[in-house]
Amino acid sequence: MDIVPAPRHVVRGEGQYTLGAGTGIDAGEGTEDTARWLRAVVGPATGLALAPARAGDTGPVRLAVDAGSLAPEAYRLTVGPDGVRIEGGGPAGVFWGAQTLRQLLGPDAFRRAPLDATRAWTLPHVTVEDAPRFGWRGMMLDVARHFMPKDGVLRQLDLMAAHKLNVFHFHLSDDQGWRIEIKRHPKLTEKGSWRSRTKAGHRASPLWDDRPHGGFYTQDDIREIVAYARDRHITVVPEIDVPGHSQAAIAAYPELGNTDVVDTTGLAVWDTWGVNPNVLAPTDAVLRFYEGVLEEILDLFPSAFVHVGGDECPKDQWRASPAAQARIAELGLEDEDELQSWFIRHFDGWLTARGRRLIGWDEILEGGLAPGAAVSSWRGYRGGITAARAGHDVVMCPEQQVYLDHRQASGADEPVPIGYVRTLEDVYRFEPVPPELTEAEARHVLGTQANAWTEVMEDARRVDYQVFPRLSAFSEVAWSALPPPAERDFAGFERRMSTHYRRLDALGVEYRPPGGPAPWQQRPGVLGRPIEGAPPIV
């Protein structure tokens, strides 16, 4: 049946059940969102109304919550002579069962209209019992480097839901752009959301795209995105970077920078890639500014976690700044690393007081980990191991394994040679829980996340090419109860992917085909020109 991600337990029966024009959905309490999704998504693909079941209907699709015997995201899908029954431990479990039902209907169930109005839609008699390995099964999308319009974001949420991923990490600010409307600070989008030009491809490239680039989401756009995700049982975790990766904000409000050592009045939104030296000043005024930003963020995002970045914060300006040095002395701190920790701890306390939790990249460990903070471990496993041993929760997303902007093959087979080579098999053999952790320490691993940074992903087409099919492999790592990496059946996964590629085709995903680049990636172009002698970005 080629289900991706692989379910825990499948028992195939004899025979099949046919859905017909009169097939209705009997939605029990708590399953109404899944019934709406089936009617809105599977209905158009099949041409079936899937209307609410009426008394006396035979063989409807029955949806029910069974919290007594199933975990919240677990489900049991049964197809037999009497129809289809999906039970979940909670509403999310029912929804994940519906995703499996869609896969069982075949790849054409992933289209937006039926290819043949006379087709009979059949399901094999089967029982599927399934549950996720991790509670945090995430994907991060960077919309700061290259903006993705709202419809593209909604499409990404649909693709995540199709793979049973449940956390969307929304990277909304960076040196190259500020992407969310903040009403009390309108210049963040008036000025901070646009740059005059963009480095084309690798940061070592001599090529530029001289067109202005930018865009942002209004607060109503964000509400729509969050609601759309919620209907698909996906939590949206916003990221607002502090104190580094902040040049777009400083370009909009120069007083946010270290003005005693840098003239920030003419600073523009950054147009290239790398680690930027312009960081936020460690002043009370900056703290108040970002508290105002976060107040609006909390109104828009109900997620338990708020991501504050904290990565790649050069300390040179703080070392040179009399104001920063005075703040270090005033607080009795040892050095600039502790000053960054003070900055992060401030927002940890601020968020905690409002019932939220701070999460940041593993640099927040430097100078002392903020109490209550969780860590996104990106520079390998070490940060996650250190945090878990200290009793802090961790999301494992090491760049060496699950940075999907990194190249998928060596040599000339990739349009831009970014980062480490990570093949589909490499991602499939990724193990989120480091073996060095004890059982108690490993419980702090909330889950795992794949990251898509968009320096060289100029549009949705290129995002598809970089992310897929590796996100399909990652979804199995995050969801399924797989054996240790060396024992995983990658050949079996590839066989199942032969069907799953047809689902991706139906969804219009322009994935990297097995065996090499897509034809459109083989054509010469600005972003397809390798730079002789240029090192990969890592």
Side-chain angles (χ1 to χ4, degrees), residues 13 56 87 128 213 290 329 394 504:
E87 300 164 291
V128 181
H213 178 85
Y290 275 87
V394 178
L504 297 178

Side-chain angles (χ1 to χ4, degrees), residues 257-335:
N258 294 280
T259 56
D260 54 346
V261 293
V262 179
D263 181 5
T264 58
T265 54
L267 201 63
V269 177
W270 212 26
D271 56 12
T272 189
W273 322 124
V275 178
N276 189 295
N278 292 298
V279 302
L280 298 174
T283 65
D284 290 341
V286 170
L287 296 181
R288 299 295 87 77
F289 182 97
Y290 275 87
E291 287 171 359
V293 169
L294 289 173
E295 283 179 3
E296 297 191 29
I297 292 293
L298 297 191
D299 284 342
L300 295 167
F301 297 92
S303 58
F305 285 97
V306 174
H307 208 291
V308 299
D311 62 316
E312 296 180 328
C313 178
K315 310 298 193 302
D316 294 343
Q317 290 184 359
W318 288 354
R319 292 187 186 98
S321 164
Q325 293 303 309
R327 176 51 56 102
I328 289 172
E330 170 197 342
L331 297 170
L333 304 177
E334 183 175 332
D335 56 19

Side-chain angles (χ1 to χ4, degrees), residues 18 78 126 153 179 227 296 340-341 450 467 469 477:
T18 301
T78 305
V126 67
V153 174
R179 304 297 180 214
E296 297 191 29
Q340 178 171 342
S341 288
V467 168
V477 170

Side-chain angles (χ1 to χ4, degrees), residues 19-214:
L19 302 177
T23 299
I25 299 177
D26 180 7
E29 184 178 356
T31 71
E32 297 86 356
D33 59 343
T34 297
R36 285 194 298 271
W37 179 84
L38 284 166
R39 280 191 285 271
V41 176
V42 177
T46 60
L48 303 175
L50 301 177
R54 295 172 295 181
D57 278 354
T58 58
V61 176
R62 302 176 182 89
L63 311 177
V65 171
D66 179 5
S69 63
L70 295 169
E73 288 195 280
Y75 69 89
R76 182 185 305 113
L77 166 63
T78 305
V79 182
D82 295 330
V84 181
R85 184 172 181 85
I86 303 174
E87 300 164 291
V94 177
F95 182 71
W96 303 133
Q99 293 291 344
T100 298
L101 175 68
R102 188 189 191 188
Q103 291 199 19
L104 293 176
L105 283 168
D108 288 344
F110 288 77
R111 297 187 179 275
R112 296 185 184 182
L115 302 184
D116 179 358
T118 65
R119 171 176 174 171
W121 291 91
T122 62
L123 293 162
H125 288 181
V126 67
T127 298
V128 181
E129 295 182 342
D130 201 7
R133 180 185 179 191
F134 293 111
W136 186 302
R137 307 180 303 279
M139 175 187 169
M140 188 225 69
L141 180 65
D142 165 21
V143 295
R145 274 52 178 270
H146 279 99
F147 179 68
M148 180 175 285
K150 180 192 67 179
D151 284 354
V153 174
L154 300 180
R155 176 175 175 270
Q156 291 301 314
L157 293 169
D158 281 332
L159 293 173
M160 288 179 62
H163 290 83
K164 300 185 175 75
L165 300 175
N166 69 342
V167 178
F168 180 56
H169 177 166
F170 207 7
H171 185 79
L172 289 163
S173 73
D174 216 295
D175 299 304
Q176 296 85 1
W178 185 283
R179 304 297 180 214
I180 182 170
E181 177 188 28
I182 302 296
K183 292 185 181 295
R184 72 189 70 186
H185 301 307
K187 292 181 184 177
L188 287 172
T189 48
E190 289 172 4
K191 183 172 183 179
S193 68
W194 284 89
R195 59 180 182 262
S196 61
R197 64 175 188 169
T198 299
K199 173 66 73 173
H202 196 293
R203 66 169 174 253
S205 166
L207 305 173
W208 292 89
D209 181 342
D210 288 319
R211 296 171 298 176
H213 178 85

